[in-house]
Amino acid sequence: MGSYLNQPYKAGTMFRRKSSHTNQADDSASRDAKVSELRVALGPLSGRSLKFCTDVCLRRYLEARNWNLDKAKKMLEETLKWRSNYKPEEIRWHEVAHESETGKVFKANFRDRQGRTVLIMRPGKQNTSSPEGNIRHLVYLMENAILNLPEGQEQMSWLIDFNGWSLNTNIPIRTAREIIYILQNHYPERLAIVVLYSPPRFFEAFWKVVKYFIDAKSFEKIKFVYPNNKDSVKLMKTFFDTENLPSEFGGKDTLNYDHEEFSRIMSQEDVKTAKFWGFDDDGYCKAKVTPGPVSVASSAS
C-alpha cells in the first residue's frame, strides 16, 4: 500500500485518464444534445421525411458541418427538398439498367474489412452520353448500397479502376461537378474511402479541375493508389482482404460482371427498397402522405 502511495506520477496518470474519459463522456452527451436540438429545429416531420431523419442521419449532417446547428439544419433541409423533387428512393432498376450494361458502376459481391458495401467504378466502360442518365444510375446504386450497409455502419467504399479510361470516355466536367455536389450535400459522411487505382498521367488535367469542387472532408478520403507503391499496397490491405479483392485492384480474385445476373439481383433489391419505403412492388406509394409543417414534401425520404 505504501509503495503505491509513493508513486505520484502513476496516480497522476490515472487521474488524467479518468479526466480523459470524463471529457469523452461530456463530448458524447454534448453531441447527443445537438442531435436533439437539430430535430427540434427541423420541426414536425412525417412520411418519408421522418423515416429519413433518424438520429444517426442527423448526426451525419452535424458531423459534415462540424457540429454547427444552423449549417446542419440548412444542409438537411436542402437534402429533403432535393429528395422531394428527385425522389431517389423511387428509381427502379429497369429505368437505369441500360446505363449498367458495360458494368461501368456496380455493387461488388464482396465487402471491405469493416463489412461495408463496396461500389466498383470503371470509367473506361462508359457507354452513354446522357448526364442525367449517369447521375440517376449512380444515385440509384448509392441508395441501394446504403440499404445494404450492415447495422451500425453508415459508410461505404469506392474502388475506381482506370483501365481503359481515356479522355473520350470521361464524363464532362459539368457532370462531374454535379455528381460531386449531390454526393457531398445529400449523402454526407457516406464515403469511408475512394480509391483511384492507377490513374493514367493524363488524368491529372481532369483532376486539377474537379478537385476544387471537393470539400476538405471528402478530399481526405480520396486515395491515389499505385500497384508498385509500398504505401499503396499497405493501404489496400488495410481496407480490403486481398483474397476477395479483384486483381484489377491488386488482389487475388477475378472481376466478372454479368449484366443479366446483376439485373436479376437488382430487381430483387427493388422489392426490398419498396418495402423499406412503404411502396408496393411496382414502386408506387401505397398511401398518400400528408406533408408536415417543414417546407419540404414528405415524399422526401
Side-chain angles (χ1 to χ4, degrees):
M1 176 69 74
S3 61
Y4 173 74
L5 292 175
N6 290 328
Q7 296 179 26
Y9 175 75
K10 290 186 177 180
T13 301
M14 292 176 66
F15 178 80
R16 285 196 296 273
R17 287 176 181 172
K18 183 177 180 181
S19 177
S20 176
H21 291 316
T22 301
N23 289 339
Q24 290 176 6
D26 290 345
D27 189 50
S28 177
S30 174
R31 293 189 171 188
D32 289 343
K34 277 285 181 102
V35 171
S36 298
E37 288 177 34
L38 177 55
R39 185 169 298 283
V40 171
L42 286 172
L45 298 171
S46 61
R48 281 176 270 174
S49 294
L50 180 60
K51 192 173 185 66
F52 179 75
C53 291
T54 62
D55 283 355
V56 176
C57 170
L58 269 55
R59 185 175 291 269
R60 285 191 294 104
Y61 278 79
L62 283 162
E63 180 70 33
R65 289 296 178 261
N66 295 316
W67 295 87
N68 182 295
L69 182 63
D70 291 336
K71 290 181 179 179
K73 176 177 178 288
K74 180 181 179 181
M75 184 186 193
L76 183 49
E77 287 180 337
E78 288 175 353
T79 290
L80 292 176
K81 292 175 183 178
W82 174 76
R83 294 185 73 92
S84 175
N85 294 321
Y86 201 84
K87 295 178 172 58
E89 72 280 4
E90 294 186 22
I91 303 174
R92 293 296 175 261
W93 175 248
H94 69 270
E95 301 174 46
V96 297
H98 64 285
E99 292 284 350
S100 196
E101 289 177 353
T102 58
K104 64 186 178 186
V105 187
F106 62 97
K107 183 174 62 178
N109 62 358
F110 62 91
R111 296 178 183 269
D112 69 10
R113 289 191 183 277
Q114 300 298 319
R116 294 177 288 226
T117 305
V118 177
L119 287 186
I120 292 178
M121 303 182 179
R122 301 187 289 178
K125 299 287 186 180
Q126 181 61 253
N127 63 325
T128 69
S129 58
S130 167
E132 178 58 27
N134 277 283
I135 293 171
R136 282 181 67 80
H137 179 228
L138 180 58
V139 166
Y140 169 86
L141 290 172
M142 285 289 295
E143 292 284 314
N144 178 260
I146 291 168
L147 281 184
N148 280 282
L149 288 172
E151 186 175 353
Q153 183 56 262
E154 288 293 300
Q155 296 182 319
M156 68 188 75
S157 295
W158 283 13
L159 291 173
I160 304 179
D161 171 26
F162 282 88
N163 184 43
W165 182 84
S166 69
L167 294 177
N168 292 329
T169 59
N170 191 39
I171 60 173
I173 294 292
R174 179 180 294 182
T175 304
R177 183 176 185 176
E178 186 170 353
I179 289 173
I180 292 170
Y181 178 85
I182 289 173
L183 291 174
Q184 290 182 163
N185 291 277
H186 304 317
Y187 295 96
E189 299 300 314
R190 283 300 191 186
L191 296 179
I193 185 174
V194 179
V195 173
L196 305 181
Y197 198 84
S198 196
R201 186 172 295 275
F202 53 83
F203 174 75
E204 292 179 9
F206 178 76
W207 177 247
K208 284 181 180 179
V209 177
V210 300
K211 70 179 182 180
Y212 292 105
F213 307 142
I214 303 173
D215 64 33
K217 282 181 175 287
S218 300
F219 196 87
E220 291 178 357
K221 299 173 182 178
I222 299 174
K223 309 297 181 182
F224 282 75
V225 173
Y226 300 93
N228 296 323
N229 181 283
K230 290 183 179 180
D231 290 336
S232 291
V233 173
K234 183 178 180 180
L235 176 73
M236 292 299 285
K237 288 182 177 180
T238 299
F239 280 89
F240 305 96
D241 182 351
T242 54
E243 293 298 323
N244 57 34
L245 188 67
S247 58
E248 285 82 354
F249 299 100
K252 300 179 180 179
D253 205 356
T254 302
L255 179 62
N256 292 314
Y257 175 75
D258 184 330
H259 183 61
E260 184 176 343
E261 174 63 13
F262 192 67
S263 293
R264 183 188 68 79
I265 293 172
M266 299 314 291
S267 295
Q268 293 176 346
E269 289 291 302
D270 283 352
V271 176
K272 183 166 65 175
T273 299
K275 183 179 180 180
F276 179 83
W277 290 111
F279 299 145
D280 60 28
D281 290 345
D282 294 325
Y284 298 100
C285 194
K286 292 179 180 178
K288 186 175 181 180
V289 181
T290 304
V294 178
S295 60
V296 292
S298 59
S299 59
S301 53

